[in-house]
Amino acid sequence: MTHRVIIVGGGFGGLKAAGALKDASIRVTLVDRRNFHLFQPLLYQVATGGLSPANIAAPLRAVLRKRRNLDVVLGEVMDIDVTRREVVLRDDRIAYDSLIVATGARHHYFGHQQWELLAPGLKTVEDATRIRRQILTAFERAERTDDPSEATRCLTFVVIGGGPTGVELAGAIGELAHRTLRNNFRHIDPGQAHILLVEGENRVLPMYPPELSEKAQRSLERLGVTVLCDARVTDISEQLVTIKRGGNTGETEEIPSRTVLWAAGVRASKLGQAIARATGAELDHSGRVVVNRDCTIDGHPEIFVVGDLASHQDQDGKLLPGVAPVAIQQGRYVARVIRRRLRGKATGEFVYKDHGQMSTIGRASAVAQIGKLRLSGFVAWLAWLLVHLLQLVGFENRVLVFIQWAGNYLTRNRAARLITETSSASDEPSELPAQANASEPSGTEVAAHLSRTAHNRLAKR
Amino acid sequence: MTHRVIIVGGGFGGLKAAGALKDASIRVTLVDRRNFHLFQPLLYQVATGGLSPANIAAPLRAVLRKRRNLDVVLGEVMDIDVTRREVVLRDDRIAYDSLIVATGARHHYFGHQQWELLAPGLKTVEDATRIRRQILTAFERAERTDDPSEATRCLTFVVIGGGPTGVELAGAIGELAHRTLRNNFRHIDPGQAHILLVEGENRVLPMYPPELSEKAQRSLERLGVTVLCDARVTDISEQLVTIKRGGNTGETEEIPSRTVLWAAGVRASKLGQAIARATGAELDHSGRVVVNRDCTIDGHPEIFVVGDLASHQDQDGKLLPGVAPVAIQQGRYVARVIRRRLRGKATGEFVYKDHGQMSTIGRASAVAQIGKLRLSGFVAWLAWLLVHLLQLVGFENRVLVFIQWAGNYLTRNRAARLITETSSASDEPSELPAQANASEPSGTEVAAHLSRTAHNRLAKR
């Protein structure tokens, strides 16, 4: 009788587990809401026009097509029935013997959910194209307005959160403004753009050694990014961000800005709560499921939680970070546990091998910590390039991304600078429901808005 | 005093004209609703997951950044004030001395506008990603359903219109179903998909010599496409297409299908009507502005209309076809006329140099007519590849597209097979208004729908 494994989530953890569950005696079902695996570490490149979504996504069915014992199901898991051992899709149920949950995390606004519309986070392809549209539209607005303060608002970009994502995003926007868009406009100088990176701690990349944080900050400043440490956001509106410097005693500062991006907090995906309800598992402060050393849940050895959804303490009681390598290693480990169990074998607890961490800052600089080794600048960037290229699923993607990067590097051009929308952009207002949303104007709405701003310079000519 | 030229539309005609208006004494303003030039001939590749939008789009500001006498305006032209010689944007006006209108065409449903939602056409990036989503979703639905007739509906693709776009689209879907998606599914065989190409004339590609039409049809059939000639659509619904074979006397036929794509008719963009109102210019049956041999409008030598928006008869009174080469040559010609006028020189009328035509059918076959020369099969495909690569704006795009094509060719994989949506795909229902639209379900809605269909096969295991 075949052992039925259901994997929920086709991210790093889930995909790795699926890949490692080859045994003919096992039948794997991978359930995901999307039909592709997304290489999230490069999502900021899509958000800043450096790469296309397809460059960093691989269709799950294509990646796993050779796996005859594996079934990909495009569906959304609503709940888990631990007594009947079934995964509950919207109107459907699938039975499992072993369950691997790897649905990851989403952004978290610390109780300010209303900020989501004003300060989008970067987790999905749609987030990325939305942010790309917002950034490019801001420059277009600045080009068209005659109101200097509006121009300033448009050319001020605030990135909240000085972790890897925030640093990479701010650096890429710096690139875009100071290099890529040079000479693209006639009435503004994109180089005048203000890019602010707001970090709560006293340095960016707090998880790195201090000297690397410092190097990162200097690289950011070279790209025209202003780093504000010991600062936290107290309010966000359409045109204004309010931050407080240096703790509660510090003075508040108002920054006029039309583009605020969120890289501050993540929260485990909602399925964690369902698991807690069903199994009585504990959730940590950010909604992650507290798991045992073998990635299982107390009392449910058949349920594994891996990746960003799991709150996993290592031998020293240190919480494992929410990074791809952890998810990948956990996915591989869990697959091994299941395979060995079927052969009646026990498996030791999960041990995370930390191969270090690296973050890029703009076009040719990065910081990297590999064991004792600490790299920065161009060398680190090359290392970063190599590692990320090798990790990209699908040979073709690697070549494409490399070419595109090479192109970006040589031409300082970003090929994917498209303001795209959903509503059909055919010549007349289409019958399709146009997306009407302040924070993401459709191309047509952008055009409309821009037209509204006076345009005397041209008219006077 | 500088001569102010306004170009409306950054397509082939407009971009070519802008490129040719280099004189320092001329100040050019290019107005477009989108921030990029789109290489429409390859749009069907995006619709079938072969290329990414950015591969066939080039940001206008980037393409024209070196042109100091040129200003790109992202805006929508609502009307033209010929007496004051101003272009009217939504809430703005820009003055011109010479005006070049090149806003092209959109699809046309011959008075059945309600079909637009049921049978999307292929003109914009959004059309392409929407069609891509619809095609891929159909396969996902077929995979999940237990109802054989629903499966048939999902696996039946009807392309309406046997011109170049229809042929290329049908061929690419054939590729996708019979080659690319092979082994991607567990419960269906994508090779079982029915792809129907519905053409009103008695052969596909009626504008080609008959023997090439025949060759094209055979190539299509090799890709599993069924060609229905002398057939026209009488009705389209969510799940059914009704066609009538062989004229009005012919019998009607009902084809159950969830995916109907429109490649049948185009109509000139709406601005044509504004021009007619303002200048008294005549519009032809498909809304195109009837222009003189020098691309101007009677009584308005300062207004030029080029490309798909123009109804232009050549010396022999033959109407010029709505293809890129015509627009490109007209754009170049008009720029020349304007430059020579400023030097007090006259210019002869526009003469279209027909370098032939080519259409691709799937991965390695095409038909081409170059003067007397008639190519078909692989040779024609290579010629097609070369011509289209060379025409792609932006060096990087060419390399990228070539690599991607090479990848597709070798791996028979289509890297860009992404079902993307607009609504944020974060883990919980986002606050962004999700696009609720029968004909283009969001990824989440797809998942939901799929879940609704029973899934006993898996449950039973």
Side-chain angles (χ1 to χ4, degrees), chain A residues 4 61 67 70-71 91-92 117 126 140 186-187 417 421-422 428 431-432 452 455 461, chain B residues 4 35 61 67 70-71 91-92 113 117 126 140 186-187 270 421-422 432 452 455 461:
Chain A
R4 299 162 303 178
R61 295 193 185 281
R67 299 292 313 285
L70 184 140
D71 196 340
D91 295 344
D92 190 12
L117 286 179
E126 291 72 22
E140 295 293 341
R186 298 292 173 260
H187 310 299
R417 298 210 307 276
E421 45 168 327
T422 22
E428 7 220 288
E431 295 174 16
L432 300 178
R452 250 170 252 118
H455 197 251
R461 282 195 202 101
Chain B
R4 300 160 303 178
N35 75 323
R61 293 193 186 283
R67 299 293 310 286
L70 184 138
D71 196 339
D91 295 345
D92 189 13
Q113 211 52 37
L117 286 179
E126 290 71 22
E140 294 293 341
R186 299 291 173 262
H187 310 300
K270 204 173 185 180
E421 44 168 329
T422 22
L432 301 175
R452 252 172 251 116
H455 197 254
R461 283 197 200 100

Side-chain angles (χ1 to χ4, degrees), chain A residues 116-394:
Chain A
E116 186 176 1
L117 286 179
L118 302 162
L122 189 57
K123 277 274 168 211
T124 68
V125 164
E126 291 72 22
D127 293 337
T129 48
R130 175 188 169 192
I131 288 174
R132 183 177 73 186
R133 179 169 56 232
Q134 230 179 308
I135 294 172
L136 295 172
T137 302
F139 284 102
E140 295 293 341
R141 280 180 169 163
E143 171 81 349
R144 291 295 303 280
T145 185
D146 287 326
D147 168 2
S149 65
E150 165 69 1
T152 311
R153 263 195 303 276
C154 291
L155 292 178
T156 304
F157 301 87
V158 181
V159 178
I160 297 163
T165 304
V167 166
E168 288 170 333
L169 202 48
I173 296 173
E175 276 289 325
L176 188 68
H178 296 274
R179 304 242 163 92
T180 311
L181 293 181
R182 182 181 292 156
N183 299 334
N184 272 212
F185 296 88
R186 298 292 173 260
H187 310 299
I188 60 163
D189 169 12
Q192 296 303 310
H194 304 286
I195 300 131
L196 304 177
L197 182 60
V198 180
E199 165 59 36
E201 307 279 317
N202 61 3
R203 58 191 178 99
V204 296
L205 301 177
M207 66 289 294
Y208 281 79
E211 66 263 41
L212 285 185
S213 296
E214 208 174 288
K215 289 216 167 79
Q217 172 154 355
R218 264 190 261 111
S219 309
L220 283 168
E221 281 157 359
R222 269 195 296 279
L223 290 170
V225 176
T226 309
V227 177
L228 304 177
C229 291
D230 297 308
R232 56 190 179 72
V233 180
T234 56
D235 192 32
I236 304 176
S237 74
E238 264 296 319
Q239 310 195 352
L240 207 66
V241 191
T242 313
I243 63 169
K244 204 181 196 59
R245 307 290 301 269
N248 298 332
T249 60
E251 77 289 356
T252 61
E253 204 173 305
E254 291 196 327
I255 304 163
S257 169
R258 275 198 173 280
T259 314
V260 186
L261 305 176
W262 190 264
V266 297
R267 183 169 187 78
S269 61
K270 205 175 183 179
L271 200 55
Q273 297 165 33
I275 294 173
R277 271 196 310 275
T279 64
E282 194 187 329
L283 296 183
D284 73 4
H285 63 289
S286 44
R288 285 172 298 190
V289 180
V290 177
V291 295
N292 302 322
R293 292 287 181 68
D294 62 355
C295 301
T296 62
I297 293 173
D298 267 334
H300 288 280
E302 78 282 8
I303 302 180
F304 302 84
V305 182
V306 302
D308 289 0
L309 180 61
S311 177
H312 192 135
Q313 286 186 352
D314 65 11
Q315 315 81 296
D316 327 330
K318 219 167 105 284
L319 201 65
L320 296 180
V323 296
V326 170
I328 290 170
Q329 291 178 34
Q330 287 176 329
R332 202 187 293 120
Y333 167 83
V334 164
R336 188 156 161 277
V337 170
I338 293 173
R339 291 202 332 267
R340 287 172 58 85
R341 272 188 193 165
L342 293 181
R343 292 193 231 94
K345 295 196 185 131
T347 313
E349 61 190 29
F350 172 72
V351 179
Y352 172 51
K353 285 173 212 57
D354 186 349
H355 299 307
Q357 50 189 356
M358 36 179 59
S359 307
T360 167
I361 305 122
R363 203 166 57 98
S365 177
V367 292
Q369 177 191 26
I370 302 154
K372 295 251 163 302
L373 183 64
R374 288 163 190 193
L375 301 172
S376 65
F378 190 64
V379 186
W381 184 73
L382 286 180
W384 175 88
L385 201 69
L386 185 69
V387 168
H388 284 77
L389 275 179
L390 293 178
Q391 285 178 350
L392 273 180
V393 178

Side-chain angles (χ1 to χ4, degrees), chain B residues 125-367:
Chain B
V125 164
E126 290 71 22
D127 293 338
T129 47
R130 175 188 169 192
I131 289 175
R132 183 177 72 186
R133 181 168 54 235
Q134 231 180 304
I135 293 172
L136 295 172
T137 302
F139 284 102
E140 294 293 341
R141 281 181 168 161
E143 171 81 349
R144 290 294 305 280
T145 186
D146 287 327
D147 168 2
S149 65
E150 166 68 1
T152 311
R153 265 195 302 277
C154 291
L155 291 178
T156 304
F157 301 88
V158 181
V159 178
I160 297 160
T165 304
V167 165
E168 289 170 334
L169 202 49
I173 297 172
E175 276 291 324
L176 188 67
H178 295 275
R179 305 242 163 92
T180 310
L181 293 181
R182 182 181 293 158
N183 299 335
N184 273 214
F185 296 87
R186 299 291 173 262
H187 310 300
I188 59 163
D189 170 11
Q192 297 301 311
H194 303 288
I195 300 132
L196 304 176
L197 182 61
V198 179
E199 164 59 36
E201 307 279 318
N202 60 3
R203 58 192 178 99
V204 296
L205 301 177
M207 66 290 295
Y208 281 79
E211 66 265 40
L212 285 186
S213 296
E214 207 173 291
K215 288 213 165 81
Q217 172 155 354
R218 263 188 263 113
S219 309
L220 283 168
E221 281 158 356
R222 267 195 297 278
L223 291 171
V225 177
T226 309
V227 177
L228 303 177
C229 291
D230 296 308
R232 57 190 179 72
V233 180
T234 56
D235 191 32
I236 303 176
S237 75
E238 266 292 324
Q239 310 195 353
L240 209 65
V241 191
T242 313
I243 63 170
K244 204 180 196 61
R245 307 290 301 272
N248 298 333
T249 59
E251 77 290 355
T252 62
E253 204 174 304
E254 291 196 327
I255 304 164
S257 169
R258 276 197 172 281
T259 315
V260 185
L261 304 175
W262 191 263
V266 297
R267 182 168 188 80
S269 62
K270 204 173 185 180
L271 200 55
Q273 297 165 32
I275 294 171
R277 271 195 310 275
T279 65
E282 192 188 332
L283 296 183
D284 73 5
H285 63 288
S286 44
R288 286 172 297 191
V289 180
V290 177
V291 295
N292 301 323
R293 290 288 180 67
D294 62 356
C295 301
T296 62
I297 293 173
D298 267 334
H300 287 280
E302 78 283 9
I303 302 181
F304 302 84
V305 182
V306 302
D308 290 359
L309 180 61
S311 177
H312 192 135
Q313 287 186 352
D314 65 10
Q315 315 81 294
D316 327 330
K318 217 166 105 286
L319 201 65
L320 295 180
V323 295
V326 170
I328 290 171
Q329 291 178 34
Q330 287 176 329
R332 200 187 293 119
Y333 166 84
V334 164
R336 187 153 162 279
V337 170
I338 293 173
R339 289 197 339 264
R340 287 172 59 86
R341 271 187 193 166
L342 293 181
R343 292 192 232 93
K345 297 199 185 128
T347 311
E349 63 188 29
F350 172 73
V351 180
Y352 172 51
K353 285 175 211 59
D354 187 348
H355 299 306
Q357 51 190 354
M358 35 179 59
S359 306
T360 167
I361 306 124
R363 202 166 58 97
S365 177
V367 291

Side-chain angles (χ1 to χ4, degrees), chain A residues 3-6 27 29 81 84-89 92-99, chain B residues 455-456 458-461:
Chain A
H3 186 80
R4 299 162 303 178
V5 179
I6 294 182
R27 139 132 237 118
T29 304
D81 183 337
R84 295 178 54 183
R85 294 199 173 174
E86 289 177 349
V87 156
V88 182
L89 277 64
D92 190 12
R93 294 169 152 264
I94 314 178
Y96 65 83
D97 299 307
S98 298
L99 174 65
Chain B
H455 197 254
N456 305 333
L458 278 168
K460 284 203 216 76
R461 283 197 200 100

